[in-house]
Amino acid sequence: MPPSIPASATTDPARAGAVRAAGFWADTLRRVVRTRAAVVGALIVGAFVAVALVGPMLAPYDPLKGRLAERLQAPGAAHWLGTDELGRDILSRILYGARITIQIQVAAVTLALAIGTALGLAAGYGGRWADLVIMRFMDILMAFPGIFLALAIIAALGTGLVNVVMAAGIYLVPQFARVVRASVLTLKEMEFVQAARALGHGDVAIVLRYLLPNSLAPIIVQTSLRMATVLLTASGLSFLGLGVQPPAPEWGALLSNARSYMITAPHVATMPGLAIMLVVLGFNLLGDGLRDSLDPRLRQ
Amino acid sequence: MRRMLGLWLVVVLVGATIPRAQPAAAQQPMRGGMLVFATGADPDSLDPQNTQSNPGEQVNRMMYENLVRFNARMQLEPALAESWTSSKDGLTWTFRLRKGVKFHDGTPFDAMAVKYFFDRVLGDEKPFKATLYSPVVQRAEVVDPSTVRMVLKQPFAAILFTLAHSAGGIVSPAAHQKWGKDLTLHPSGTGPFKFVEWVKGDHVTLERNDAYWAGAPNLDRIVVKTVREDQARVALLGSGDADMILNIPTEDIPRLRKDARFTIESSPTARALYITINVARKPFDDVRVRQALNYAVNRDALVKELFQNHAQAISGIVSPLQNGYAALPGYAYDPKKAKELLAQAGHPSLKVKLWTPKGRYVKDYELAQAVQQDLAAVGVETTLATMEWGAYLTATKTPADQTDRELFLMGWSPSTGEARWGMFPLLHSSMQAPKGDNRGFFASKAFDEAIERATVATTDLARVAALREAQQIAIKEAPEIFLISPNMIVGMSRKLHGIMNLPLELTYLTEKSWKDK
Amino acid sequence: MITYIARRLLLLVPVLLGVSVASFGLLQLVPGDPAIVLAGQEATEDVLAQIRHEYGLDQPRPIQFVIYLRNALRGDLGISIQSRQPVATLIAQRFPFTLRLAFLAILVSAALGVVAGVVAATHRNSVLDLAALLGSLVGISMPIFWLGLLAMLLFSVRLQWLPAGGSGTLAHLVLPAVVLGASSSAVIARMTRASMLEVLRQDYTRTARAKGVDERHVVYRHALKNAMIPILTVFGLEFGYNLGGAVLTETVFSLPGIGRLVVEGIFARDYPVVQGAMLVVATTFVLVNLLTDIAYAALDPRIRYD
């Protein structure tokens, strides 16, 4: 993805990169702020992170301790979002659930980002054979649609938080790899990279000093969008009963338990679902906004 | 005047809360029609001698018949045997069999078929339910084509109850010879309904047996659908896609009762729900730990809040409806005492595995989570795991050296209706898994001795006394976390008539069942 | 064109091979005796011995894989532990249902998405555009299982217009297809809008307008046709998304599809079923993608020289 190079670029590749970078980021920031949707997204994501960090301290009740006598209470003064089928406070469970969710998201995205970026760099810069082989591996991973890949991992390894992270993460690796590869393929042809090569800089140096930093933009966009994907995958798994196990208040698990009470106590299902939707929306808006600001000509 | 009004109000309110009985059959049965019956779990087997749980037993009772059977009031009546006599010493029973009965595959039902049944449960094949009969029956003999003689090893007062158990369903010898282990996929009995197909995990289809000896059934077809999700099942009743459903979540009962199209019946059963403890695994070999677990659970809250009083707390493993039940004091809700006992045993905090099925029993998953909560309050942290019912039965049946199971939710309803079978298979040392249903490997000489005395007792007084003692020992040794006896909650369309509801938590259809158009 | 197809087919082979390796590898990851994993814990010693022989479990892994592949190509995907039926039979019973559902969902999403996208593009920056954009964003963000539950609550329970589960009639498919299609329609709407906007700006559109061609003509004949090209690729992606989403939809609505087969197989520890279903689903998806790519290349010659 080619940011434009100011005409004032010097012939020194490093300086050219640095100058371009400074103007580039300022420009981006301006564009981000201009895109209102992205701002809304950022606000939502910010709120979510805040909740995940401090929410548990603010939670009025212990999310794991419920009193059966208080089960399925509608939202009210004592319990702002009501209680669930075992008498636990839903608000507290959602607050704690935010932390579990963000842990899964950060872990899975970091995993996928690290592996995917490495693979993308190798594929883009490593020559035809590396490209061919690596992208075929990515094709194989992508051959399993949607949640099937995650299900395969769970089937083999079992349920639980760690396995959910792996299952959700592996699904993202091809996305990161493709994006980074595409970026590298374009950057590779650019003057400052050619110049660096001509000057005799080593391959690893070129990758780390020029290709990687200039690929950050699409990586960041993908990160935001994939945080949304991880949330949907993880909560989907928990909803099926194959993700994080009770009594952990993961949002998908909250919805799963609430199914039996859809008619008699719909409030148990409304809030967790709304929470998931809002956070996914936030990451999507932010990701889209970042993408639009970082390159308006980008269509994919 | 006001007092009269008050009285009428009380009468109306009381009348409105009594479960509605089936309307008196003043109407003529209508022939034909298909009945859809939605349950929460798939049958584990359709081979009566190998079936481990009720979903299978229910379907079997529509395809197979026994020598004797229960009527709706749990009284024994003739089925494939028209009459019977026993010798003075109680060791020899002679059954006069019904003539002209055929199996679904066309082969005749006769004394040879009955002998074949006994040979099978007493022989080397050792089907799962063999232990119902092998300790007490020595052999069977053919007297003539419609008379069979059964010889017992010792007098056994409950022998007829045991023959009425679903595992006493007579299978066509030809079918067993032909299919062997695959008999479960090719049922062939003498019952009012014939097997059509079994799409595992989805449904079983049965069709009317026109050659049925008591007259062709009214219904054309029965489809027993497995619908694991509670709400999906309830929705089927509401939309009319199912005529009858089991295991209705208690919260939905008030709402459904308002609908004039169906009736919801909630009645006590002989079933007990409990959490089996693997006593072969440390630290559960220490009785103090087991007792502590029992003190930790608030049974009354479970009954009142989780089940909305559609259940009762039980102090032991025998539920009040079982013949021979003794009302004994159990474990009160005492978390403090639980913590004390755990500390004494050297385990102030524990991390254990808790397994549970999901959808097999009403609110089984929530029950497990509620117990999880109670245990956490006394320092016992549990990790919950669930499996599909068939896999669950398999996983809880492995021998002690091949398993890591610790606590697991189970239910038991003696299909003989009496307390000896309510305890023997679960707690006698000879019944340890994988041979029998003692899935927690409990072994106690005192208990074995007491229950064996109940088996051979010649007087009812002695039997009940021995059973009482056995129950006392079981409570004290606490091989399970005792919980509740749930009601059987059946929802059915008012168009249905003649449904068989046994308090053994078995609901099924007979040739007399019929459906309004 | 032929060379393009040939090249794609050639690339297909390693991918399909890789998919089979992945499916084979799935079972290898499961802890425990592989024979028990395949035959279930109830299996007797002779059955286990038979399984070991049939699948070459005492031989090195590569040979096991070859046996597995050879069986798969012959249509033998093993025996289900739970139902004792051939896995291939179970899949043949359930997969067509999911395909039907996914197809219906694509129709729904196409109808909704294209219409919404065209409306948004032709009424750029108006309230309609904003509404469509917002709607599509919400659509992408809503978890399918939540949407399904809400839809079931509203249309089956409260309004009683549609059945809540099970299968049999077309009516049973309506709610699941709409729920599944709703999320995809959001993606298609955005794609359509972006694509249309791009095309409407292009030179040849301006030329058409300058020539005095009627506006509607411009939109439908020229713009839409050219805009459809990238949308076509999205269909391929959305089909995959629908296959994945079908798992959750089938669970919510209790449908007899392959998604629920896999989920229940996992709960029942029925590994042969899970493995077989994965192989079939992945293979189908790869083939569908290939077809979509070929269709794309047929429409847009520029792609062939990638």
Side-chain angles (χ1 to χ4, degrees), chain B residues 327-399:
Chain B
L328 295 162
Y331 293 89
Y333 173 50
D334 196 341
K336 229 169 68 160
K337 183 123 197 236
K339 285 197 222 171
E340 273 172 31
L341 282 171
L342 283 172
Q344 269 179 37
H347 299 281
S349 76
L350 279 174
K351 268 188 103 85
V352 305
K353 298 194 199 55
L354 176 60
W355 291 2
T356 172
K358 191 171 180 194
R360 162 64 188 98
Y361 306 107
V362 181
K363 300 211 176 179
D364 44 16
Y365 200 56
E366 277 104 328
L367 186 56
Q369 288 182 74
V371 171
Q372 186 182 41
Q373 229 172 229
D374 281 347
L375 292 181
V378 300
V380 178
E381 282 228 7
T382 51
T383 49
L384 200 63
T386 182
M387 273 169 259
E388 181 267 335
W389 182 239
Y392 191 78
L393 284 173
T394 306
T396 52
K397 213 172 67 149
T398 48

Side-chain angles (χ1 to χ4, degrees), chain A:
Chain A
M1 72 104 290
S4 44
I5 303 172
S8 57
T10 62
T11 46
D12 173 10
R15 272 217 68 208
V19 166
R20 207 184 73 266
F24 165 62
W25 287 111
D27 203 348
T28 308
L29 202 59
R30 247 182 287 132
R31 274 197 257 225
V32 169
V33 171
R34 272 213 302 255
T35 318
R36 257 174 308 167
V39 171
V40 172
L43 283 174
I44 297 179
V45 170
F48 170 60
V49 172
V51 167
L53 288 174
V54 298
M57 288 184 265
L58 300 173
Y61 297 89
D62 184 330
L64 301 179
K65 288 205 168 78
R67 299 189 49 221
L68 283 180
E70 291 170 4
R71 65 194 293 263
L72 296 178
Q73 280 180 356
H79 299 273
W80 290 2
L81 295 180
T83 59
D84 69 1
E85 68 280 359
L86 289 181
R88 299 174 289 208
D89 178 47
I90 294 181
L91 176 62
S92 305
R93 283 176 67 79
I94 291 185
L95 289 177
Y96 273 84
R99 185 174 280 188
I100 297 180
T101 303
I102 214 175
Q103 284 172 343
I104 298 176
Q105 283 175 306
V106 169
V109 169
T110 308
L111 192 70
L113 194 151
I115 301 178
T117 305
L119 289 176
L121 288 171
Y125 202 64
R128 266 210 94 211
W129 279 112
D131 187 11
L132 219 63
V133 170
I134 292 179
M135 286 327 281
R136 293 297 75 71
F137 271 113
M138 296 300 103
D139 281 346
I140 294 171
L141 280 182
M142 288 195 292
F144 295 90
I147 212 172
F148 274 100
L149 188 59
L151 284 177
I153 306 282
I154 297 287
L157 301 177
T159 60
L161 191 76
V162 174
N163 294 339
V164 168
V165 167
M166 287 204 279
I170 200 172
Y171 177 47
L172 306 179
V173 168
Q175 322 260 26
F176 280 103
R178 284 169 73 195
V179 155
V180 170
R181 169 184 179 270
S183 165
V184 168
L185 284 180
T186 333
L187 285 174
K188 192 158 80 163
E189 308 302 324
M190 306 219 85
E191 284 177 12
F192 66 101
V193 173
Q194 307 274 31
R197 268 221 281 233
L199 284 174
H201 285 119
D203 282 336
V204 175
I206 291 181
V207 164
L208 289 176
R209 286 183 73 194
Y210 304 123
L211 298 178
L212 189 54
N214 289 310
S215 304
L216 275 183
I219 290 179
I220 291 176
V221 171
Q222 277 301 309
T223 304
S224 183
L225 294 174
R226 293 312 136 219
M227 295 285 263
T229 313
V230 170
L231 176 48
L232 286 174
T233 308
S235 57
L237 284 175
S238 302
F239 176 76
L240 292 171
L242 294 171
V244 180
Q245 297 292 307
E250 200 270 344
W251 291 347
L254 295 187
L255 274 180
S256 178
N257 278 357
R259 279 176 76 182
S260 307
Y261 306 100
M262 286 293 288
I263 304 176
T264 43
H267 69 275
V268 188
T270 336
M271 286 306 150
L274 213 57
I276 297 177
M277 192 186 85
L278 267 175
V279 175
V280 171
L281 185 65
F283 278 110
N284 274 337
L285 283 174
L286 183 60
D288 276 355
L290 283 172
R291 179 167 58 202
D292 286 345
S293 346
L294 290 173
D295 188 337
R297 284 173 295 165
L298 196 66
R299 237 193 305 283
Q300 288 286 61

Side-chain angles (χ1 to χ4, degrees), chain C residues 90-267:
Chain C
L90 288 173
I91 294 179
Q93 281 172 353
R94 316 268 286 229
F95 199 28
F97 184 90
T98 304
L99 289 174
R100 238 178 298 150
L101 178 62
F103 182 65
L104 257 177
I106 289 191
L107 285 182
V108 166
S109 66
L112 275 178
V114 170
V115 166
V118 168
V119 164
T122 49
H123 296 85
R124 180 136 197 242
N125 288 328
S126 73
V127 173
L128 281 172
D129 185 15
L130 207 63
L133 218 55
L134 223 62
S136 68
L137 273 170
V138 168
I140 302 179
S141 312
M142 214 180 224
I144 284 188
F145 45 96
W146 194 49
L147 182 61
L149 286 179
L150 293 179
M152 189 197 278
L153 188 63
L154 180 60
F155 291 103
S156 298
V157 178
R158 288 274 148 81
L159 297 174
Q160 302 235 347
W161 285 352
L162 292 161
S167 60
T169 68
L170 196 62
H172 286 103
L173 280 177
V174 170
L175 217 48
V178 170
V179 166
L180 199 52
S183 324
S184 311
S185 74
V187 176
I188 292 181
R190 301 184 72 206
M191 265 249 76
T192 310
R193 176 183 179 276
S195 197
M196 284 282 292
L197 285 177
E198 178 64 31
V199 166
L200 282 172
R201 270 204 301 240
Q202 295 278 9
D203 288 341
Y204 54 85
T205 318
R206 277 196 272 153
T207 313
R209 281 209 191 97
K211 273 163 57 179
V213 178
D214 151 45
E215 185 64 21
R216 231 179 325 156
H217 217 73
V218 169
V219 169
Y220 293 123
R221 291 282 305 296
H222 294 175
L224 196 55
K225 198 167 64 150
N226 285 296
M228 285 311 280
I229 296 170
I231 293 173
L232 205 63
T233 26
V234 179
F235 276 139
L237 281 173
E238 289 309 305
F239 177 72
Y241 176 76
N242 282 345
L243 277 185
V247 173
L248 293 162
T249 315
E250 284 169 20
T251 302
V252 170
F253 291 97
S254 306
L255 301 171
I258 205 170
R260 214 162 64 117
L261 184 69
V262 171
V263 172
E264 295 191 343
I266 298 179
F267 272 114

Side-chain angles (χ1 to χ4, degrees), chain B residues 78-387:
Chain B
L80 285 177
E82 280 182 333
S83 64
W84 52 88
T85 55
S86 74
S87 63
K88 262 236 182 82
D89 58 5
L91 290 176
T92 309
W93 293 72
T94 311
F95 295 90
R96 285 234 124 68
L97 304 175
R98 215 168 281 276
K99 296 197 181 62
V101 178
K102 281 203 165 53
F103 287 104
H104 299 147
D105 59 6
T107 57
F109 164 76
D110 53 18
M112 273 77 82
V114 176
K115 175 160 163 40
Y116 190 91
F117 160 78
F118 280 107
D119 287 344
R120 187 185 178 204
V121 296
L122 299 175
D124 293 327
E125 184 193 329
K126 292 205 178 30
F128 191 71
K129 283 297 204 253
T131 46
L132 250 183
Y133 304 102
S134 50
V136 288
V137 180
Q138 193 180 76
R139 66 177 190 278
E141 300 161 348
V142 172
V143 175
D144 63 53
S146 53
T147 314
V148 73
R149 185 177 299 142
M150 175 184 69
V151 181
L152 301 178
K153 291 179 184 164
Q154 65 230 3
F156 183 43
I159 182 63
L160 287 180
F161 287 91
T162 313
L163 287 173
H165 188 292
S166 315
I170 310 287
V171 176
S172 151
H176 179 248
Q177 276 166 346
K178 181 171 175 197
W179 297 107
K181 272 204 153 271
D182 283 339
L183 187 61
T184 175
L185 298 173
H186 304 269
S188 183
T190 61
F193 295 96
K194 286 197 283 201
F195 176 76
V196 174
E197 66 169 357
W198 181 13
V199 179
K200 285 224 186 184
D202 199 72
H203 67 272
V204 180
T205 309
L206 308 175
E207 67 179 4
R208 134 205 297 147
N209 174 14
D210 285 302
Y212 185 55
W213 57 265
N218 295 313
L219 291 168
D220 287 334
R221 273 195 157 215
I222 301 176
V223 177
V224 182
K225 274 182 86 85
T226 306
V227 182
R228 286 177 55 193
E229 303 299 334
D230 292 335
Q231 284 305 312
R233 221 162 42 241
V234 171
L236 288 180
L237 186 68
S239 64
D241 287 309
D243 304 292
M244 199 160 81
I245 63 175
L246 293 186
N247 287 5
I248 302 178
T250 51
E251 289 81 9
D252 292 293
I253 296 181
R255 172 178 68 89
L256 290 171
R257 280 207 163 128
K258 292 203 189 106
D259 193 321
R261 293 173 297 156
F262 18 83
T263 71
I264 312 291
E265 293 200 13
S266 171
S267 38
T269 64
R271 177 171 293 284
L273 280 183
Y274 47 89
I275 297 195
T276 312
I277 305 176
N278 181 352
V279 307
R281 222 170 135 82
K282 289 194 184 309
F284 304 107
D285 50 349
D286 187 336
V287 67
R288 286 171 299 185
V289 173
R290 302 198 299 264
Q291 288 177 338
L293 296 178
N294 269 288
Y295 279 115
V297 175
N298 186 346
R299 288 165 197 80
D300 290 325
L302 291 176
V303 166
K304 184 154 168 262
E305 309 295 343
L306 196 59
F307 283 84
Q308 273 108 32
N309 291 322
H310 288 277
Q312 31 183 326
I314 48 179
S315 50
I317 203 158
V318 175
S319 83
L321 267 188
Q322 293 178 23
N323 184 307
Y325 165 76
L328 295 162
Y331 293 89
Y333 173 50
D334 196 341
K336 229 169 68 160
K337 183 123 197 236
K339 285 197 222 171
E340 273 172 31
L341 282 171
L342 283 172
Q344 269 179 37
H347 299 281
S349 76
L350 279 174
K351 268 188 103 85
V352 305
K353 298 194 199 55
L354 176 60
W355 291 2
T356 172
K358 191 171 180 194
R360 162 64 188 98
Y361 306 107
V362 181
K363 300 211 176 179
D364 44 16
Y365 200 56
E366 277 104 328
L367 186 56
Q369 288 182 74
V371 171
Q372 186 182 41
Q373 229 172 229
D374 281 347
L375 292 181
V378 300
V380 178
E381 282 228 7
T382 51
T383 49
L384 200 63
T386 182
M387 273 169 259

